[in-house]
């Protein structure tokens, strides 16, 4: 285990090696025996664990909690919903008319561009002699 990996495990799991993954414990113990820097990192993690254990959740009175919930309910009740919502912002039910119109317009534009020669497709022709030789040499591919 490298010192960088050890530092990452110490930051993620703390100073208690029992919380570390089993696969990393043996390597961590070997590194702790050899490296003073690893022992310093583990001591820093122990200080962080102590500070986190000493911290407590702030106390909030039930009256204050009820006031917050009441304000949230008031804000939701006062919310104005517009009468008209554009079709592209609306939620289901799905409205198929705009999609059908778009597809129809795309089909007409495609047909007109092909018929006017804006889009051309290569016509397939009979293979010439070199094509026949390649196919006969390689086999039918």
């Amino acid at each position: 285990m490298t010192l960088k990996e050890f530092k990452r495990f110490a930051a993620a799991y703390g100073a208690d090696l029992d919380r570390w993954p089993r696969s990393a414990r043996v390597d961590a113990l070997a590194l702790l025996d050899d490296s003073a820097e690893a022992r310093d990192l583990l001591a820093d993690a122990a200080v962080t664990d102590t500070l986190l254990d000493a911290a407590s959740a702030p106390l909030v009175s039930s009256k204050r909690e009820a006031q917050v919930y009441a304000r949230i309910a008031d804000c939701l009740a006062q919310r104005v919903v517009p009468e008209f919502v554009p079709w592209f912002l609306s939620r289901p039910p799905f409205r198929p008319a705009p999609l059908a119109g778009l597809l129809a317009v795309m089909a007409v534009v495609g047909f007109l561009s092909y018929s006017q020669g804006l889009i051309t497709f290569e016509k397939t022709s009979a293979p010439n002699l070199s094509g026949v030789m390649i196919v006969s040499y390689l086999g039918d591919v």
Side-chain angles (χ1 to χ4, degrees):
M1 173 179 286
T2 64
L3 199 58
K4 186 176 181 180
E5 291 172 334
F6 185 85
K7 184 177 182 179
R8 184 173 50 96
F9 279 115
Y13 298 105
D16 187 9
L17 291 181
D18 291 335
R19 292 189 302 222
W20 289 35
R22 290 178 192 243
S23 59
R25 284 183 203 162
V26 175
D27 295 336
L29 288 172
L31 187 64
L32 281 171
D33 289 339
D34 296 336
S35 173
E37 193 173 347
R39 288 189 291 274
D40 291 340
L41 286 172
L42 198 64
D44 289 343
V47 169
T48 304
D49 287 348
T50 304
L51 290 173
L52 288 175
D53 290 340
S56 62
L59 296 176
V60 178
S61 68
S62 58
K63 180 181 175 184
R64 180 67 179 144
E65 186 178 352
Q67 288 174 347
V68 170
Y69 286 136
R71 288 190 65 196
I72 291 172
D74 289 341
C75 289
L76 289 174
Q78 293 175 5
R79 193 172 68 168
V80 177
V81 178
E83 291 183 22
F84 174 74
V85 177
W87 66 269
F88 53 85
L89 293 178
S90 65
R91 292 189 177 169
F94 177 69
R95 297 182 180 153
L99 178 62
L102 176 68
L103 292 176
V105 167
M106 288 174 58
V108 168
V109 168
F111 174 75
L112 290 177
S113 61
Y114 176 73
S115 66
Q116 294 298 318
L118 297 175
I119 298 175
T120 58
F121 296 104
E122 291 185 23
K123 306 254 192 271
T124 57
S125 60
N128 54 14
L129 181 59
S130 63
V132 170
M133 290 174 60
I134 291 171
V135 169
S136 64
Y137 178 74
L138 295 176
D140 192 18
V141 281

